């Protein structure tokens, strides 16, 4: 295993997590103010991210957006997050990744991987998406897939990304729901050959969260049982060529040879 967070103890481990703060809309017209840890707690082996309807730095809502940048990032591997999601209209929880170093330019050319998104206005439909220079929601060209669950609010589900050099696979409770294939064109289609880090948050409103149910049940929570990242070891120990090719079969067709 490359990295894991089981959320033991009674507070968020700041040696592993960093809180992003502010209420500037975050490029999506979001309504919440992200606080410096006031909306995140740990209890009974769970991380609890809580979105509250309250005045917070001039906003009507407060919430948490946290990441493990500068703590751990990863290139390829299997990322699992087991979680329960909020339900009130306007909530928009997400489990996603961005590169620490935006070597291919600004968003979306830098590349974004959304492992899990959900909205209270479309309850129980959970989906994953990629954003690149060629494929992104600003142009309506984003690519993704998802699954309708019976209950994502009271039941834990495991949201998994398997990241390979040639593709990205999304699994929800071990059922594959989407594959994005490396087209081997340019970084506008596949910027996913540099390390990313993980983000967890609940946004309120905005372009995807939609209409906010001010009279709904508040506060709302995303409960995370664990985060586990498995290193698949690509590139390790692969620098020694075999001395003699083996297991080759050749079929001759005129001047062509098929191996």
């Amino acid at each position: 295993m490359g990295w894991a967070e089981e959320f033991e103890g009674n507070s968020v481990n700041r040696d592993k997590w960093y809180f992003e703060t502010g209420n500037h809309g975050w490029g999506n017209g979001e309504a919440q103010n992200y606080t410096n840890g006031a909306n995140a707690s740990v209890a009974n082996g769970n991380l609890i991210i809580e979105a509250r309807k309250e005045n917070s730095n001039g906003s009507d809502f407060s919430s948490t957006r946290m990441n493990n940048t500068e703590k751990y990032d990863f290139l390829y591997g299997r990322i699992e997050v087991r979680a329960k999601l909020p339900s009130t209209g306007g909530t928009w929880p997400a489990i996603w990744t961005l590169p620490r170093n935006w070597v291919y330019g600004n968003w979306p050319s830098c590349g974004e991987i959304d492992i899990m998104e959900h909205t209270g206005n479309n309850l129980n439909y959970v989906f994953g998406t990629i954003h690149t220079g060629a494929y992104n929601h600003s142009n309506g060209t984003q690519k993704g897939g998802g699954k309708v669950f019976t209950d994502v609010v009271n039941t834990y589900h495991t949201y998994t990304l398997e990241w390979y050099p040639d593709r990205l696979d999304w699994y929800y409770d071990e059922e594959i729901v989407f594959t994005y294939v490396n087209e081997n064109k340019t970084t506008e289609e596949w910027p996913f050959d540099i390390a990313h880090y993980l983000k967890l948050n609940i946004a309120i409103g905005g372009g995807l969260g939609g209409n906010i149910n001010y009279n709904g049940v508040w506060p709302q929570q995303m409960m995370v049982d664990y985060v586990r990242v498995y290193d698949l070891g690509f590139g390790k120990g692969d620098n020694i060529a075999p001395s003699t090719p083996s297991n080759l079969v050749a079929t001759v067709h005129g001047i062509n040879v098929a191996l």
Side-chain angles (χ1 to χ4, degrees):
M1 185 177 295
W3 187 86
E5 172 65 284
E6 304 292 337
F7 299 110
E8 299 170 346
N10 54 17
S11 62
V12 175
N13 183 349
R14 292 193 181 234
D15 289 333
K16 288 188 172 183
W17 298 99
Y18 169 79
F19 292 100
E20 301 176 45
T21 62
N23 62 341
H24 48 72
W26 298 89
N28 299 303
E30 300 166 23
Q32 77 289 331
N33 176 53
Y34 286 129
T35 64
N36 188 16
N39 293 68
S41 60
V42 172
N44 300 317
N46 285 271
L47 167 69
I48 304 167
I49 293 178
E50 188 166 87
R52 304 170 187 151
K53 187 176 75 169
E54 63 180 2
N55 183 279
S56 179
N57 194 28
S59 298
D60 292 335
F61 296 89
S62 64
S63 188
T64 282
R65 173 163 156 160
M66 55 196 289
N67 68 59
N68 64 351
T69 185
E70 299 183 6
K71 313 296 183 181
Y72 178 81
D73 53 16
F74 49 92
L75 173 60
Y76 312 131
R78 177 181 170 97
I79 303 95
E80 297 178 359
V81 182
R82 186 170 185 260
K84 294 193 292 189
L85 307 178
S87 61
T88 291
T91 57
W92 172 12
I95 301 166
W96 53 301
T97 76
L98 281 176
R100 182 189 300 183
N101 299 309
W102 291 22
V103 299
Y104 296 128
N106 293 327
W107 189 94
S109 294
C110 65
E112 174 182 326
I113 306 172
D114 298 325
I115 300 173
M116 186 289 303
E117 290 184 284
H118 173 264
T119 67
N121 287 317
N122 193 7
L123 195 63
N124 292 320
Y125 176 66
V126 184
F127 54 97
T129 317
I130 59 95
H131 299 283
T132 72
Y135 306 121
N136 61 81
H137 74 265
S138 296
N139 296 330
T141 57
Q142 76 273 12
K143 293 180 179 289
K147 175 180 177 178
V148 177
F149 288 90
T150 301
D151 175 26
V152 299
V153 177
N154 302 296
T155 305
Y156 284 102
H157 298 284
T158 303
Y159 306 104
T160 300
L161 173 76
E162 289 190 353
W163 181 2
Y164 301 96
D166 65 341
R167 72 187 190 278
L168 300 166
D169 291 330
W170 280 252
Y171 293 86
Y172 293 166
D173 288 347
E174 298 304 323
E175 176 186 349
I176 193 162
V177 298
F178 174 48
T179 294
Y180 178 67
V181 176
N182 183 353
E183 299 174 4
N184 294 303
K185 293 181 179 178
T186 72
T187 59
E188 289 293 279
E189 292 79 24
W190 184 268
F192 304 121
D193 58 358
I194 57 174
H196 279 219
Y197 64 94
L198 186 69
K199 291 174 175 275
L200 306 172
N201 69 285
I202 302 176
I204 307 295
L208 188 57
N211 293 330
I212 303 169
N213 184 356
Y214 280 76
N215 297 318
V217 176
W218 298 97
Q220 287 286 301
Q221 296 178 342
M222 176 164 70
M223 299 185 67
V224 180
D225 183 21
Y226 60 74
V227 177
R228 297 171 183 168
V229 182
Y230 299 86
D231 184 354
L232 300 182
F234 287 106
K236 295 180 180 178
D238 296 336
N239 57 352
I240 301 175
S243 57
T244 303
S246 59
N247 299 320
L248 296 180
V249 177
T251 303
V252 179
H253 301 282
I255 62 171
N256 299 312
V257 179
L259 291 178

